[in-house]
Amino acid sequence: MKDKIPMAIKILLVEFSATEIQQLLEKVGCQVIAKAATSDAALAFVRELVPDLAIIDIRLQGPVDGIEIAARMRASSQLPIIFISNTADKQTMARALLTAPSAYLIEPVESRQLYAAILLALYQYKFEEKTRKSKERYELIITATNDGVWDWDLKTDVIYFSPRWKSMLGYREDEIGTSPTEWFKRIHPDDEKQLRAELNSHINGISPRLEREYRMMNADGKIVWMLIRGLVVCDGQGVACRIAGSQSEITTRKMAEERLAYDALHDPLTDLPNRVLFMDRLSFRIEHTKRHPNEFFAVLFLDLDRFKVVNDSLGHSAGDQLLITTALRIQQCLRPEDTVSRLSGDEFAILLNEVHDISDAVRVAERIRARLVTTTLLGSIERSPTASIGIALYHNNYEKPDEILRDADLAMYRAKTLGRNRYQVFDSSMFAGAVALLQMEGELKRAVARKEWQVLYQPIVSIESNEIIGVEALLRWQHPQRGTVFPLEFISVAEDTGYIIPIGEYVLRTACMQAKAWRDAGQPHLWVAVNISARQFQHENLVGMVAKILDETGLKSDGLRLEVTESVAMQNLDYSALVLRELDQLGVCTSLDDFGTGYSSLGYLKRFPLKVLKIDQSFIQDIQVNKNSEAITRAVIAMARSLNLEVVAEGVEQVEQLEFLRSLGCAYVQGFFISHPLSELELSDVFEKQARKR
Ligand code: C2E
Ligand code: MG
Ligand code: MG
């Protein structure tokens, strides 16, 4: 039948007394599943029978009329409603409209009109249902992604901010309105300009989308990082009318990124800028000074003195503690615009901004030096850390940051050589010195390979008998271009480069061979003294090597003495005592060289199995000039006697010095007055002459 609706539509009738309408409905193929006379019954039917449509009669005007029932139904259901009424007065119509009905039919109603209204109502309902579902789905997605949503109507300048958008900033739904200022006033002032620019660029079609990270202030006044994304919607004329998008909070990610970036540029122990950051600031400063030639600056290079001793003797945590204390103390001596950085280990670099001349930089270096030496507790031990500081003042020959840092480093090195705990200003001769040093390194390598060495022997004689009792082996480098090079010029480089190990072994072997030869040729008690430098002394195999060479050369152990300087022996007392004891067990005795120049503590002398003290030549040469030197010499000799040690006085150049030493009861002397260091042939001659005299 043409008029029939293909499926059985389930209708709920409300408030109908007459039955015509039911007949009408059935005529068009609808099924009346229930009739309700009260609002409670109507609501119950809607819930339980799930009708497709409700048709409500509003002719009857009771205390609860059809419109009221419809209103109550609306509270819990979207069910389509058709009103049938015998009036169309404004007031009734207005009330009815509030319940969002699908149709309002005036009696008399005919079947075709009713049929059309029902179809339309169902169609509309389906359509709305679809929109409602997709809206719900959209809201679900938004909630699930945790993003805030914003939608800006560019024509009315009204923005919709989703509840999540607001709660991300710590606001309740009703605390933020719909004006764009609600957004812009919460943007970090440093980011606002850029964000506005990007918005405009997208709105004007220059950039394809909006995407930016920026900062906002939340309700607590804290800074939060946001990621905003947006797309413009254009009207029919291609003019932007709307821009909408999402916003997510990325503070945690940003913080992690910032932390990573911070860590990459800072020293984890002291929290100071690291080398990378320092070099960056330095190159920035160089560029700045090139543009403002009157604004000088200086670089200080600071290295703690004997840091290794602290680390080795008190442990690494004491070492760390010292570095942290140092970092703090340096900072206390600087202005906020200066930069102090820990370059590595115990090295610090300082960039002093706004320095007028070298005296400004010197003042800061002095201040730091003075601040550092205040005692600090390392573990349970009190220490006064000292440092050596090099200063380089900017001049316009500097192009790169490493150049000025290198010069400050060279000056620091000089400060170390001059005795530590001091500052030194860079001058260009230091650079020449450093270049020469580098060159020497290469040449030493060659010298080791080709054995460009000569060992000389300086006699040590007994004052009483005037006989040579021993000799000191002294190394010379026969340089192919420079001729004879003295040890003071190259031993420290050999130390730093490690070449001292093969060089030292060479000297020891040569000297032992020579001593054995002299012993065999009529000097049966002669011994040779060989100098051992710090690195050799610390080498794990020193004792093994000595034993091996004695064995190879056939020299008895009483034919060899080793000379160790006081400062070397003092570096690590326990270790020194151990090595000296092992040598003693081998039958090799040790002399303490250059005695009086180091950090004498008489206590340790007793702990070491020593045989000889060699009074440093500086005291002997000062004997006539300086009363102190005389007193020191006298005291050393007296002390040595009480400790049962032999004393050798070095550097005796004049008869007066010899006589003075004789008067003090010093037994042995060495020096130019007796003999310069001699070659093996020269000394063999001397021995022969002596033998002939006898
Ligand atoms: P040292 O062990 O104190 O040696 C004594 C130095 O004083 C020698 O200098 C010697 O030539 C010099 N001398 C001796 N008598 C006099 C004097 O009357 N007046 C003056 N002004 N000087 C005198 P040299 O040979 O230049 O050696 C310097 C230092 O180099 C040595 O000091 C020693 O510490 C080190 N050295 C020398 N040979 C070797 C070696 O084979 N190995 C190691 N590791 N160091 C060595
Ligand atoms: Mg010596
Ligand atoms: Mg000496």
Side-chain angles (χ1 to χ4, degrees):
M1 194 172 93
K2 190 170 144 253
D3 276 358
K4 273 205 172 169
I5 295 167
M7 50 194 170
I9 298 172
K10 296 182 279 178
I11 306 277
L12 168 67
L13 284 183
V14 184
E15 284 271 297
F16 282 96
S17 48
T19 55
E20 313 107 64
I21 193 85
Q22 187 173 354
Q23 287 159 2
L24 220 58
L25 284 167
E26 277 161 5
K27 209 174 137 199
V28 294
C30 293
Q31 184 194 356
V32 174
I33 55 165
K35 286 201 225 170
T38 64
S39 89
D40 286 350
L43 291 176
F45 287 141
V46 169
R47 236 183 1 256
E48 283 153 28
L49 303 178
V50 200
D52 295 318
L53 194 123
I55 297 181
I56 303 179
D57 182 4
I58 44 177
R59 276 174 302 186
L60 296 178
Q61 304 281 325
V64 177
D65 65 1
I67 299 177
E68 181 56 28
I69 294 175
R72 291 183 188 179
M73 276 162 60
R74 269 288 165 266
S76 61
S77 153
Q78 297 300 321
L79 185 71
I81 293 173
I82 294 176
F83 286 122
I84 295 183
S85 174
N86 58 356
T87 78
D89 67 287
K90 267 190 187 157
Q91 209 187 341
T92 312
M93 294 277 282
R95 281 183 61 229
L97 279 178
L98 286 177
T99 66
S102 300
Y104 190 101
L105 306 177
I106 310 284
E107 297 238 87
V109 178
E110 58 154 310
S111 72
R112 279 198 316 181
Q113 189 191 8
L114 188 60
Y115 169 65
I118 290 173
L119 269 190
L120 210 64
L122 290 179
Y123 175 79
Q124 201 180 349
Y125 176 76
K126 265 198 183 144
F127 176 80
E128 278 170 2
E129 179 91 332
K130 231 173 159 179
T131 333
R132 206 165 34 242
K133 283 236 168 80
S134 91
K135 198 170 157 233
E136 275 169 16
R137 204 175 302 128
Y138 178 69
E139 271 165 8
L140 208 66
I141 291 169
I142 291 302
T143 328
T145 57
N146 225 11
D147 283 356
V149 169
W150 53 279
D151 188 345
W152 186 355
D153 186 327
L154 297 171
K155 299 231 155 97
T156 57
D157 212 20
V158 165
I159 305 192
Y160 162 77
F161 300 109
S162 74
R164 177 72 192 132
W165 193 99
K166 297 173 187 174
S167 73
M168 276 190 311
L169 290 167
Y171 290 102
R172 284 194 319 266
E173 174 67 12
D174 57 352
E175 284 179 315
I176 290 187
T178 56
S179 144
T181 35
E182 296 278 15
W183 180 14
F184 287 109
K185 74 179 180 196
R186 293 184 172 88
I187 297 175
H188 193 290
D190 293 351
D191 293 352
E192 188 185 341
K193 211 169 136 203
Q194 188 61 29
L195 183 64
R196 278 186 190 270
E198 300 217 356
L199 256 169
N200 287 335
S201 139
H202 178 53
I203 290 173
N204 297 328
I206 299 163
S207 56
R209 72 181 68 80
L210 170 72
E211 180 163 345
R212 179 149 191 91
E213 295 174 359
Y214 70 108
R215 286 162 295 175
M216 289 185 82
M217 300 291 188
N218 73 8
D220 298 333
K222 290 210 187 86
I223 290 174
V224 284
W225 273 96
M226 296 291 184
L227 166 66
I228 186 173
R229 290 195 175 103
L231 267 183
V232 123
V233 178
C234 294
D235 63 13
Q237 281 80 49
V239 177
C241 58
R242 227 177 112 192
I243 175 165
S246 65
Q247 172 150 294
S248 41
E249 210 207 303
I250 52 165
T251 310
T252 320
R253 194 197 85 203
K254 271 285 175 192
M255 290 297 179
E257 280 174 12
E258 276 175 8
R259 185 74 228 174
L260 276 180
Y262 184 88
D263 288 351
L265 296 175
H266 290 81
D267 165 44
L269 180 68
T270 58
D271 208 30
L272 292 180
N274 65 13
R275 181 186 284 270
V276 179
L277 183 54
F278 184 80
M279 293 315 251
D280 187 57
R281 294 207 180 148
L282 192 53
S283 47
F284 184 78
R285 194 64 183 79
I286 292 176
E287 290 313 313
H288 176 88
T289 309
K290 285 206 183 328
R291 276 178 277 118
H292 305 90
N294 293 325
E295 295 177 16
F296 282 115
F297 68 93
V299 171
L300 267 53
F301 197 111
L302 182 148
D303 187 294
L304 285 176
D305 297 331
R306 299 179 211 286
F307 176 69
K308 201 173 154 347
V309 179
V310 171
N311 241 358
D312 291 351
S313 55
L314 302 179
H316 284 271
S317 67
D320 286 354
Q321 208 183 320
L322 179 57
L323 291 171
I324 293 168
T325 308
T326 305
L328 276 174
R329 290 185 178 174
I330 297 175
Q331 278 171 307
Q332 287 161 358
C333 300
L334 302 177
R335 287 164 306 182
E337 63 268 28
D338 300 328
T339 298
V340 52
S341 148
R342 180 175 170 223
L343 296 182
S344 65
D346 61 340
E347 291 177 346
F348 296 83
I350 298 151
L351 169 60
L352 289 183
N353 279 302
E354 288 177 46
V355 164
H356 298 106
D357 52 36
I358 195 68
S359 66
D360 285 348
V362 163
R363 243 192 317 278
V364 178
E366 254 314 315
R367 207 185 308 147
I368 293 175
R369 210 186 58 81
R371 183 77 191 85
L372 279 184
V373 294
T374 17
T375 49
T376 178
L377 206 59
L378 295 179
S380 56
I381 294 179
E382 276 203 349
R383 275 263 174 177
S384 300
T386 66
S388 304
I389 305 173
I391 306 174
L393 187 68
Y394 173 82
H395 60 69
N396 46 22
N397 286 347
Y398 286 123
E399 285 293 333
K400 294 196 192 108
D402 4 343
E403 292 168 357
I404 185 162
L405 190 66
R406 172 203 65 201
D407 287 354
D409 187 7
L410 283 171
M412 182 282 292
Y413 204 75
R414 179 61 58 88
K416 287 255 182 225
T417 337
L418 292 177
R420 305 185 171 100
N421 190 18
R422 65 184 65 213
Y423 66 84
Q424 193 66 36
V425 177
F426 173 79
D427 75 69
S428 48
S429 70
M430 293 178 187
F431 182 60
V435 172
L437 214 68
L438 212 67
Q439 191 181 348
M440 179 180 286
E441 214 181 300
E443 293 182 343
L444 262 184
K445 187 176 178 188
R446 185 201 58 210
V448 169
R450 297 196 197 156
K451 299 206 170 60
E452 294 169 358
W453 313 120
Q454 184 188 17
V455 181
L456 298 186
Y457 302 90
Q458 187 176 32
I460 295 167
V461 303
S462 147
I463 292 191
E464 212 173 283
S465 67
N466 205 22
E467 293 217 352
I468 300 175
I469 54 149
V471 293
E472 177 173 7
L474 294 166
L475 181 63
R476 300 291 178 261
W477 176 7
Q478 299 306 334
H479 193 285
Q481 283 89 39
R482 292 165 60 196
T484 302
V485 182
F486 286 83
L488 289 183
E489 267 192 74
F490 67 86
I491 291 287
S492 68
V493 184
E495 275 272 301
D496 290 350
T497 52
Y499 290 132
I500 193 69
I501 301 297
I503 297 174
E505 188 171 346
Y506 175 86
V507 176
L508 192 66
R509 183 172 283 111
T510 310
C512 287
M513 247 155 52
Q514 190 55 54
K516 167 80 168 120
W518 279 323
R519 279 192 162 199
D520 291 350
Q523 304 292 328
H525 305 296
L526 187 83
W527 44 258
V528 63
V530 175
N531 291 288
I532 300 292
S533 71
R535 187 130 174 198
Q536 288 173 279
F537 189 69
Q538 273 135 21
H539 196 264
E540 53 195 349
N541 197 29
L542 174 71
V543 182
M545 184 187 72
V546 170
K548 188 178 114 208
I549 288 177
L550 286 176
D551 192 46
E552 275 173 25
T553 57
L555 181 68
K556 283 218 197 105
S557 57
D558 65 349
L560 174 66
R561 289 183 176 189
L562 297 183
E563 294 195 0
V564 178
T565 62
E566 194 184 359
S567 48
V568 168
M570 283 296 290
Q571 262 178 27
N572 184 341
L573 296 181
D574 291 338
Y575 179 76
S576 298
L578 187 82
V579 176
L580 295 179
R581 224 172 289 131
E582 282 179 14
L583 287 170
D584 190 50
Q585 278 160 12
L586 199 65
V588 176
C589 67
T590 316
S591 314
L592 209 54
D593 206 354
D594 302 349
F595 187 75
T597 56
Y599 297 79
S600 318
S601 134
L602 298 178
Y604 75 91
L605 284 179
K606 277 191 268 176
R607 289 176 56 191
F608 293 166
L610 289 170
K611 175 128 180 173
V612 186
L613 285 189
K614 293 188 83 174
I615 310 180
D616 191 64
Q617 42 180 280
S618 58
F619 299 108
I620 308 301
Q621 278 153 21
D622 263 13
I623 281 173
Q624 276 99 30
V625 204
N626 186 333
K627 283 273 169 234
N628 277 345
S629 293
E630 224 178 274
I632 290 170
T633 310
R634 200 188 296 273
V636 170
I637 292 174
M639 180 193 70
R641 193 173 295 138
S642 74
L643 288 169
N644 248 343
L645 295 171
E646 279 178 21
V647 175
V648 176
E650 288 184 281
V652 179
E653 293 182 350
Q654 292 160 12
V655 65
E656 292 82 4
Q657 294 161 349
L658 182 70
E659 290 316 318
F660 176 73
L661 290 162
R662 193 199 300 277
S663 74
L664 297 181
C666 172
Y668 308 104
V669 285
Q670 173 186 1
F672 296 166
F673 182 72
I674 293 101
S675 168
H676 279 264
L678 303 173
S679 71
E680 55 187 77
L681 288 177
E682 288 168 327
L683 195 54
S684 298
D685 263 6
V686 172
F687 286 139
E688 268 171 38
K689 276 186 199 139
Q690 256 185 12
R692 260 183 261 134
K693 266 197 209 160
R694 284 195 212 116

